[in-house]
Amino acid sequence: MQIPLLVVVAFAALTYAQIPQSIGYGVDLTDYGTVQTFQCIRNLRYSYAFIGVYNSVGNGTVYSYAVQNVAPILAGLKIHIVHAPAPQSSKSGATQFLETYNTLKAYGVSVHTVFLQITSPISWPNNPQKNSAFIADFVNAAARVNVHVAFYTNWYDWEQITGGWVTTPRLLWYWNTLGNGVDAAGSDDFTDFRPFGGFTSPYVAVKQYRRNLSGCGVAFNGNRFVSGLVFMQANAARVEVKKEAEKQ
Ligand SMILES: *[C@@H]1O[C@H](CO)[C@@H](O)[C@H](O)[C@H]1NC(C)=O
Ligand SMILES: *[C@@H]1O[C@H](CO)[C@@H](O)[C@H](O)[C@H]1NC(C)=O
C-alpha cells in the first residue's frame, strides 16, 4: 500500500521533534539509500546509521548495493556494519563473514566491528548447539582478520536460538519494542535491560526501541546509544582515502 507523501512528512516531523540533540540516536536499515536519503536522516538528528549489508534470504548473499550504502558517511553519519546471517545456508558462518568482509574491503571500507544479527528464531534451525557453533564460527573468522563481532539480539531471541548459551560477553545491541511504529515503541532508556547469556549492563551499547518507521523514502528502525559513545565513535567503519588519489 502506498503511503501518501503528506503522512510521511508529518511523521518525520514528529520523529524530529522527539529527539533531543544531546543524546546519540541512530537508525538501522537494509533499504538502499542515496546520499540525499542519508542527509535527510541526518536532518532528523540521527548521528549513526547501522547498515545491513547481508541479505539472509536463501543461502545468503551480500546486497548488490551494500557498498553504495556507505553513503551515510558522505552525509555526515557514522556507520556500523550489520550482518543478518543465513543460518540455514549451506555456507558456514565463517564463509558468510568473509563475503561481507571481502566485499567491503575491496571498496576501501575498513571495518572494526561487525554486528551479527541473532534475531527471528523462526529463521534459525531448531538446534541450539548448531546455532551456537555457527555463531562461534563467524566470530572466529572475524578474529582471524582482527575484526570484532558485536551481537544484535535480545534475551528472548538469544534463549530461543542458542538455548541460553552463556558466552564470552561482548558488545551488545538489544531490542525491545512491542511492534511497528512509534505507538509500539519501547522505552527510550535502558531501565528494561536484564542480564542474559553472559551479557551484563557494561556491555550494553545500543537499544533498538522503535521499529519500522518510515521517512526520507526508506523504512528504518530507531536506536538509542548509551551516553558514553566512545566505543561507537572509535569503531565506526571508515572509508579509506584511495592511495592512488593521495599520490597525485
Ligand atoms: C543452497 O546451496 C546448496 C548447495 O549449493 C543448494 O543445493 C541449495 O539449493 C541452495 N539453497 C537455496 C535456498 O538457494
Ligand atoms: C513496515 O511498515 C510498512 C508500512 O509503513 C508495511 O508495509 C510493512 O509491512 C512493515 N514492515 C514490517 C516488517 O512489518
Side-chain angles (χ1 to χ4, degrees):
M1 197 185 74
Q2 198 74 24
I3 310 165
L5 184 62
L6 203 62
V7 175
V8 174
V9 170
F11 187 74
L14 180 69
T15 309
Y16 175 84
Q18 289 175 351
I19 293 181
Q21 207 158 19
S22 57
I23 306 174
Y25 288 85
V27 298
D28 68 276
L29 76 170
T30 53
D31 285 356
Y32 170 67
T34 62
V35 176
Q36 286 72 25
T37 307
F38 289 107
Q39 277 166 348
C40 172
I41 287 172
R42 183 83 182 104
N43 289 340
L44 298 176
R45 299 194 191 184
Y46 292 102
S47 52
Y48 287 79
F50 286 80
I51 304 299
V53 298
Y54 202 79
N55 185 348
S56 61
V57 171
N59 278 322
T61 182
V62 176
Y63 283 115
S64 58
Y65 54 78
V67 172
Q68 284 98 308
N69 255 1
V70 301
I73 291 182
L74 304 176
L77 288 159
K78 292 189 165 54
I79 72 166
H80 287 279
I81 303 300
V82 183
H83 182 112
Q88 314 257 17
S89 173
S90 55
K91 290 187 268 193
S92 68
T95 298
Q96 292 183 36
F97 167 78
L98 288 171
E99 287 179 330
T100 284
Y101 176 76
N102 288 330
T103 301
L104 295 172
K105 194 178 166 201
Y107 286 89
V109 182
S110 75
V111 180
H112 259 269
T113 301
V114 170
F115 283 84
L116 177 62
Q117 186 166 342
I118 304 166
T119 65
S120 308
I122 197 125
S123 65
W124 291 71
N126 186 18
N127 185 336
Q129 283 72 30
K130 192 176 173 197
N131 295 341
S132 302
F134 177 93
I135 293 165
D137 192 44
F138 186 100
V139 168
N140 292 337
R144 285 194 285 275
V145 290
N146 293 318
V147 172
H148 297 279
V149 178
F151 290 160
Y152 163 34
T153 185
N154 76 359
W155 69 271
Y156 178 80
D157 289 338
W158 187 259
E159 180 64 35
Q160 294 294 306
I161 292 166
T162 73
W165 181 28
V166 177
T167 181
T168 309
R170 57 187 62 246
L171 201 72
L172 180 69
W173 169 18
Y174 75 97
W175 68 270
N176 191 8
T177 74
L178 297 173
N180 293 323
V182 170
D183 291 344
S187 65
D188 178 12
D189 60 37
F190 298 90
T191 55
D192 57 354
F193 180 74
R194 302 286 177 274
F196 66 91
F199 304 100
T200 52
S201 295
Y203 293 95
V204 173
V206 192
K207 174 182 171 182
Q208 182 190 84
Y209 74 106
R210 288 176 169 181
R211 185 164 275 192
N212 200 15
L213 309 177
S214 45
C216 304
V218 289
F220 56 84
N221 304 314
N223 301 279
R224 178 175 170 178
F225 299 93
V226 293
S227 49
L229 288 173
V230 179
F231 175 90
M232 300 306 289
Q233 283 168 356
N235 291 283
R238 288 184 181 81
V239 177
E240 290 164 3
V241 177
K242 288 264 176 287
K243 297 287 179 280
E244 298 80 1
E246 271 180 342
K247 282 182 195 144
Q248 300 305 310

